[in-house]
Amino acid sequence: MEWLNIVIRTTFLENMVLAYFLGMCSYLAISRQISAAFGLGLAVIFVETLTVPLNWVLKKYFLDPGALAWLHPAFAQVDVSFLTFLVYIATIASAVQLVEMVVERFFPALYNALGIFLPLITVNCAILGASLFMNERDYTFGESVAFGFGAGLGFFLAIVLLASIRYKIRYSHVVAPLRGLGIAFILTALLGIAFLSFAGIQL
Amino acid sequence: MDAPRRPWIHRVVNRLTRPLWNMLQRVKKPFLPGGRLHRLYPLYEAIETFLFQPPLTTPRSGGVHIRAGNDLKRLMITVVIALIPPTLFGIWNIGHQFYVAQGQWVGLTEGFLPKVLKGLEVFLPMLIVSYAVGGTIEVLFAIIRRHPVSEGFLVTGLLIPLIMPPTIPLWILAIATAFAVIFGKEIFGGTGMNVVNTALLARAFVFFAYPTVISGDAVWVVPPVDGFTKATPLAAAVISGADALSGREYAPYGFSDLFWGWIPGSIGETCKPAILLGALLLLATGVASWRIMLGMLLGGAFMAWLFNIVGGTPLMQVPWTYHLVMGGFLFGLVYMATDPVTAATTNPGKWIYGFLAGAFAMIIRVVNPAYPEGVMLAILLMNVTAPLIDYLVLRFYVRRRLTYG
């Protein structure tokens, strides 16, 4: 039940994109095509569900102050938490590599549509952000799985919604200077207002 | 083929309006291409087509099989007409609440004229501000971008004051209207291109930017003295549930009071018979979708009924029948959710859209303690979801065609 709460909260209330405005670059760039948005959303769900628990394990048994004591009692004083960012990014990069290979092998059309943005998930701040939030909030292992999945689902929902709206307004007579990226930013703001309806819900 | 003989009423109206038509034609010349005032043509066109039939029609010889006397302009005017009953009641109700708060003319039939005058004193400035600000922006965009001015704003401009509390400061109303018209509609290209309902965006803007003027207990009645407070039925129900409505503490909020609407609230939302009258017109003319209305009613009733079974907080125990007549649910259902531009456009999509809007309205209202009025946010949320629903429905159609050949 606690896990379900976390999934709902991170998907709707604390949406990575619409509440924290993380992961904007791929969110805005890939939302031109609904099918590509679906693909990227699924990839982000996969990567986040994988990396957040993985990073949790690394944090628990490697990064936390004194976490290395399980190797040898002499390591109880060692604190390698200054490596946190490096380790998290390395985990994410390898997970993304995995996704990239799978997508290239089995969904070549999607691979071409995503282009450079698939490897760039590595530096997608929504994904590093999820790991860092996990770091801050002292989740248990189960909660970190739920959190990773919820964060990915939130990104998926946001990007698919934006893509479908952009698909709908493709023939709209948008003010010339705002065509493309500008109107996408304004749509993001409108989506953010709509998602504010969940703000303040206590679960 | 002879043109069919027009009914006598047409001929009478024609004869009567002929001088006006002639006058319009006389002043038309400078607005035409090459004329001095050509840039202002949208303004001229707006006036001409507001008063008379638009000159652009499909020729009879064009092989068109479906002909209707309807177009965007008549569509929008129908909504304005449908909004008249709640508006009139709202005007009276402003005055009624004002005098009841003073303990004067408590009876419903007493002091009709002063109540209406008081209501007009409050409502007319709001209407003028909303029309003036929004209309100016719309006309400016129309002139610069050379698109026709449409009656769409007549609807939005009337809806905006109707969904505000009567005490809202006019400058906030002006800012909200300007924000909604510019960022909700005009930058997308004007009427018919917007993604979210413009009037709702104005309300949401006020709700999040100036929460104190649109929530709490002090804003729903024009205060006879400073610091006067009176809770809406919804706010009362948050605290004490169905007890508040049975008339113990906040008399007299019974079901019939909620239904007939002599209660504090946003101006247009209180009187349910007036709203139903408008709904009848919208449904009879086919302007609003009955699928969305029915879907939203079912969604709201189902969700409220579900909460009745769970029954944790006071608001969950409020019977589902009350939920349907409380707050802006019915108003949003009839006038907001059915906005043909922002709603889903496929038929199954309309059912899903309506049902989810109703369900979300109840969820936000009951589960989220910060926002007892969930209807506005639920419809906004569904506005941004509608394109996705349509897309999925179309995908489903395509796939079915492919499967069955």
Side-chain angles (χ1 to χ4, degrees):
Chain A
M1 200 57 209
E2 178 60 23
W3 298 354
L4 188 66
N5 273 352
I6 289 182
V7 171
I8 293 174
R9 200 183 309 139
T10 44
T11 309
F12 292 106
L13 280 58
E14 298 168 2
N15 191 297
M16 276 295 162
V17 180
L18 300 173
Y20 291 118
F21 292 90
L22 292 174
M24 276 290 138
C25 26
S26 45
Y27 170 74
L28 291 172
I30 298 298
S31 56
R32 264 185 238 111
Q33 234 187 326
I34 301 186
S35 52
F38 261 104
L40 185 76
L42 290 177
V44 169
I45 291 183
F46 177 79
V47 171
E48 295 213 67
T49 321
L50 196 69
T51 55
V52 175
L54 258 179
N55 282 336
W56 182 88
V57 172
L58 286 168
K59 169 177 143 67
K60 175 90 175 167
Y61 294 105
F62 180 54
L63 293 169
D64 273 348
L68 286 170
W70 61 276
L71 274 178
H72 191 276
F75 288 149
Q77 302 303 318
V78 177
D79 178 5
V80 290
S81 57
F82 61 89
L83 289 174
T84 304
F85 281 19
L86 281 180
V87 171
Y88 284 2
I89 279 290
T91 318
I92 291 167
S94 36
V96 169
Q97 208 59 48
L98 196 69
V99 172
E100 199 184 346
M101 287 192 295
V102 171
V103 172
E104 187 179 9
R105 173 72 180 81
F106 295 105
F107 311 99
L110 180 61
Y111 183 78
N112 288 329
L114 293 178
I116 187 66
F117 286 96
L118 190 56
L120 276 185
I121 296 183
T122 313
V123 287
N124 184 335
C125 30
I127 290 174
L128 181 63
S131 284
L132 292 177
F133 276 130
M134 176 275 297
N135 199 7
E136 292 272 309
R137 291 178 186 169
D138 292 327
Y139 283 130
T140 64
F141 181 74
E143 286 170 351
S144 74
V145 177
F147 179 75
F149 178 72
L153 196 63
F155 186 89
F156 173 81
L157 203 63
I159 196 170
V160 168
L161 282 179
L162 181 68
S164 54
I165 295 177
R166 288 180 81 170
Y167 178 74
K168 181 189 175 180
I169 65 162
R170 67 200 182 285
Y171 295 127
S172 287
H173 187 45
V174 175
V175 179
L178 287 176
R179 273 183 208 144
L181 211 55
I183 205 76
F185 265 108
I186 287 165
L187 284 172
T188 310
L190 293 180
L191 274 170
I193 290 181
F195 267 66
L196 266 181
S197 39
F198 300 108
I201 291 183
Q202 303 292 325
L203 283 173
Chain B
M1 194 169 69
D2 286 335
R5 198 171 159 74
R6 291 176 181 277
W8 65 272
I9 184 89
H10 273 229
R11 278 176 283 144
V12 172
V13 172
N14 238 335
R15 183 70 52 81
L16 287 176
T17 55
R18 182 58 59 182
L20 193 60
W21 173 254
N22 289 338
M23 200 188 77
L24 275 172
Q25 296 311 308
R26 264 202 305 282
V27 298
K28 188 173 187 174
K29 194 155 185 297
F31 295 102
L32 291 175
R36 263 177 308 128
L37 299 171
H38 180 53
R39 288 198 76 89
L40 296 178
Y41 180 71
L43 209 56
Y44 172 82
E45 195 258 5
I47 294 168
E48 183 183 315
T49 56
F50 178 72
L51 294 169
F52 292 96
Q53 192 179 352
L56 296 168
T57 49
T58 317
R60 278 171 169 276
S61 55
V64 180
H65 295 286
I66 301 170
R67 271 195 296 267
N70 215 346
D71 68 347
L72 183 66
K73 292 183 175 266
R74 304 301 167 257
L75 200 80
M76 292 300 183
I77 279 295
T78 312
V79 185
V80 172
I81 294 170
L83 275 167
I84 289 176
T87 311
L88 293 181
F89 185 89
I91 291 172
W92 172 80
N93 195 37
I94 294 171
H96 179 63
Q97 296 300 330
F98 174 75
Y99 284 111
V100 167
Q102 283 180 320
Q104 199 182 356
W105 294 318
V106 179
L108 293 171
T109 50
E110 297 166 32
F112 180 75
L113 202 61
K115 285 175 182 173
V116 170
L117 286 178
K118 180 71 193 170
L120 285 175
E121 184 194 322
V122 174
F123 185 74
L124 277 187
M126 290 172 72
L127 190 67
I128 291 169
V129 164
S130 142
Y131 271 151
V133 173
T136 310
I137 294 171
E138 174 119 0
V139 168
L140 277 180
F141 267 89
I143 289 172
I144 294 169
R145 309 198 65 210
R146 310 210 178 124
H147 69 65
V149 181
S150 90
E151 266 88 338
F153 188 71
L154 289 183
V155 178
T156 313
L158 182 55
L159 275 173
I160 289 175
L162 283 181
I163 54 178
M164 298 287 182
T167 56
I168 188 155
L170 292 177
W171 64 273
I172 292 183
L173 190 71
I175 294 177
T177 309
F179 174 82
V181 172
I182 294 175
F183 287 99
K185 189 165 102 179
E186 284 303 335
I187 56 165
F188 290 99
T191 305
M193 315 266 189
N194 45 325
V195 173
V196 297
N197 187 307
T198 317
L200 275 180
L201 187 64
R203 194 178 201 272
F205 176 80
V206 178
F207 193 79
F208 291 118
Y210 305 97
T212 50
V213 302
I214 202 166
S215 45
D217 291 346
V219 299
W220 304 105
V221 176
V222 178
V225 290
D226 272 355
F228 175 85
T229 63
K230 187 172 184 183
T232 62
L234 207 51
V238 173
I239 301 159
S240 41
D243 283 350
L245 304 169
S246 65
R248 214 173 302 160
E249 195 179 350
Y250 293 97
Y253 292 154
F255 184 84
S256 70
D257 302 302
L258 293 171
F259 182 73
W260 289 104
W262 30 79
I263 48 174
S266 295
I267 295 168
E269 74 180 16
T270 59
C271 182
K272 310 314 178 289
I275 296 171
L276 291 176
L277 210 64
L280 215 59
L281 177 69
L282 291 179
L283 289 176
T285 52
V287 169
S289 155
W290 61 270
R291 290 183 180 85
I292 295 177
M293 286 199 196
L294 194 60
M296 186 159 166
L297 197 68
L298 289 175
F302 174 75
M303 208 62 219
W305 174 77
L306 217 62
F307 279 128
N308 282 170
I309 295 177
V310 179
T313 61
L315 207 51
M316 284 189 189
Q317 292 158 1
V318 173
W320 61 270
T321 45
Y322 279 74
H323 265 302
L324 297 184
V325 293
M326 274 205 296
F329 185 77
L330 213 56
F331 191 84
L333 184 151
V334 171
Y335 297 109
M336 304 289 203
T338 55
D339 174 3
V341 179
T342 55
T345 48
T346 52
N347 280 345
K350 284 177 184 168
W351 281 109
I352 301 170
Y353 170 90
F355 190 87
L356 286 180
F360 270 125
M362 289 303 154
I363 291 174
I364 297 170
R365 176 186 281 183
V366 173
V367 179
N368 195 340
Y371 312 146
E373 187 45 280
V375 179
M376 161 187 83
L377 294 164
I379 297 175
L380 273 182
L381 193 67
M382 291 319 293
N383 280 169
V384 297
T385 321
L388 182 63
I389 296 175
D390 278 340
Y391 174 78
L392 293 176
V393 168
L394 287 179
R395 273 267 301 259
F396 174 75
Y397 278 165
V398 170
R399 192 165 292 175
R400 200 175 54 182
R401 281 283 159 81
L402 287 178
T403 319
Y404 299 110

